[in-house]
């Protein structure tokens, strides 16, 4: 693949890893839920769950936006076998610690769990992700999406 | 000719958010005709690499004090306060180049 192939978030969506209407109570439950599917489907190694939990507690990934929070949990490349961006839309906001201030939390309904193993090679996708995060209308639509196809359409 | 500045760009894993910030800082320097070496690192490496660098730009909380100026740049991810962090980076570079 050449370096200038622009990849968007939608190219990293995997149908089993779009989780809607979940009822996780905290980040550990969310990671366990994502890992259950990701591990079973061969996206991650058995180190993914312990490492993403540890990573989130040391370097949290909650981003406080003007009117809500989002989170972009991720961990070491060596735990990822096949790349993905998992989308979790939880019924109720989950408290994520903030990236810029781990002493504070931000309420997160939409989390993007990044399974990336190509350092430096995913700039376009990450930029497209930041574009999504900074677009209130898109986040609103994701929060109310009723099925996986809708999520794919919103992000296309 | 102004001094070329050496900049460390750090995040927790050195894989995701620093990649985005690298590009933003690259663009910022280009727009302002600043010559720089940008090095993408994990924040845990910052302490050992600071001696070869003039400035640290990070998306994580800073786990320790550094001898070089350190700027937190989550704004590039959230879009909130981008102008302020750009100004902060440009001011830091000016200071480095005039030292």
């Amino acid at each position: 693949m050449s370096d200038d192939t622009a990849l968007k978030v939608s190219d990293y969506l995997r149908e089993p890893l779009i989780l809607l209407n979940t009822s996780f109570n905290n980040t550990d439950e969310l990671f366990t839920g994502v890992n259950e599917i990701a591990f079973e489907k061969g996206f991650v190694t058995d180190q993914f769950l312990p490492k993403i939990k540890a990573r989130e507690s040391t370097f949290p990934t909650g981003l406080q936006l003007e009117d809500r929070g989002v989170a972009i949990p991720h961990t070491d490349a060596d735990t990822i076998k096949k790349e993905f961006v998992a989308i979790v839309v939880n019924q109720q906001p989950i408290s994520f610690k903030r990236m810029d201030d781990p002493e504070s939390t931000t309420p997160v309904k939409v989390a993007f769990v990044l399974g990336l193993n190509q350092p430096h090679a995913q700039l376009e996708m990450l930029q497209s992700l930041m574009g999504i995060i900074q677009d209130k209308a898109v986040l609103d639509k994701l929060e109310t999406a009723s099925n996986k196809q809708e999520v794919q359409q919103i992000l296309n | 000719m102004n001094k070329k500045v050496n900049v460390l760009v750090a995040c927790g894993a050195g894989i995701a958010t620093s990649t985005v910030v690298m590009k933003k800082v690259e663009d910022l320097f280009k727009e302002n005709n600043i010559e720089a070496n940008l090095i993408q690192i994990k924040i845990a490496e910052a302490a050992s690499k600071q001696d070869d660098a003039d400035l640290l730009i990070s998306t994580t909380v800073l786990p320790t004090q550094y001898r070089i100026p350190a700027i937190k740049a989550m704004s590039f991810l959230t879009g909130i306060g981008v102008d302020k962090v750009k100004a902060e980076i440009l001011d830091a570079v000016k200071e480095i180049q005039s030292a």
Side-chain angles (χ1 to χ4, degrees):
Chain A
M1 194 187 297
S2 70
D3 286 345
D4 58 9
T5 310
L7 290 170
K8 299 191 300 177
V9 172
S10 51
D11 297 311
Y12 286 80
L13 294 181
R14 312 291 177 236
E15 205 263 348
L17 292 173
I18 299 174
L19 284 68
L20 302 179
N21 286 314
T22 52
S23 47
F24 301 125
N25 293 304
N26 52 50
T27 54
D28 275 4
E29 284 185 20
L30 185 151
F31 295 148
T32 303
V34 169
N35 178 69
E36 229 162 69
I37 301 164
F39 184 69
E40 194 214 306
K41 304 273 180 197
F43 287 99
V44 299
T45 70
D46 60 359
Q47 286 307 297
F48 175 75
L49 184 58
K51 280 197 170 178
I52 199 163
K53 281 186 184 174
R55 171 75 215 279
E56 190 67 28
S57 67
T58 327
F59 296 112
T61 64
L63 294 171
Q64 177 68 54
L65 307 177
E66 272 166 27
D67 58 350
R68 79 194 88 199
V70 295
I72 52 168
H74 52 278
T75 188
D76 298 342
D78 61 8
T79 66
I80 306 301
K81 294 204 276 193
K82 289 186 283 183
E83 292 193 301
F84 63 89
V85 172
I87 296 198
V88 181
V89 183
N90 207 51
Q91 283 166 1
Q92 297 298 321
I94 297 174
S95 277
F96 268 78
K97 289 197 216 166
R98 284 173 56 166
M99 193 183 279
D100 57 342
D101 176 11
E103 304 300 312
S104 328
T105 62
T106 184
V108 170
K109 276 197 80 172
V110 181
F112 302 86
V113 182
L114 312 181
L116 304 173
N117 61 17
Q118 304 286 320
H120 319 295
Q122 58 236 347
L123 177 64
E124 284 83 5
M125 190 282 282
L126 290 164
Q127 284 181 322
S128 117
L129 178 62
M130 297 310 149
I132 291 164
I133 287 171
Q134 295 177 21
D135 190 329
K136 288 177 192 173
V138 170
L139 291 178
D140 282 342
K141 280 188 209 161
L142 283 177
E143 287 186 4
T144 55
S146 51
N147 59 56
K148 297 182 183 201
Q149 288 69 33
E150 213 178 312
V151 169
Q152 277 159 331
Q153 280 163 8
I154 294 164
L155 297 181
N156 239 326
Chain B
M1 192 67 216
N2 279 319
K3 173 182 173 271
K4 194 166 187 174
V5 287
N6 293 302
V7 181
L8 303 175
V9 179
C11 68
I15 186 166
T17 56
S18 56
T19 305
V20 176
V21 172
M22 282 283 277
K23 178 76 173 86
K24 301 279 189 188
V25 174
E26 241 172 60
D27 292 348
L28 177 70
F29 285 173
K30 219 175 275 169
E31 283 162 24
N32 291 276
N33 296 313
I34 294 165
E35 269 213 80
N37 291 318
L38 299 181
I39 307 152
Q40 187 173 12
I41 61 165
K42 297 183 188 191
I43 190 69
E45 301 167 328
S48 65
K49 296 202 165 158
Q50 61 178 325
D51 287 342
D52 304 318
D54 306 300
L55 176 65
L56 169 66
I57 298 175
S58 170
T59 60
T60 69
V61 70
L62 303 168
T64 177
Q65 287 263 347
Y66 300 98
R67 291 185 292 276
I68 56 174
I71 295 173
K72 290 203 283 180
M74 294 77 177
S75 295
F76 286 129
L77 311 179
T78 61
I80 302 166
V82 176
D83 291 344
K84 197 168 153 238
V85 77
K86 282 185 177 174
E88 207 179 324
I89 292 169
L90 293 176
D91 283 350
V93 167
K94 248 182 240 162
E95 203 146 300
I96 290 159
Q97 290 182 326
S98 65

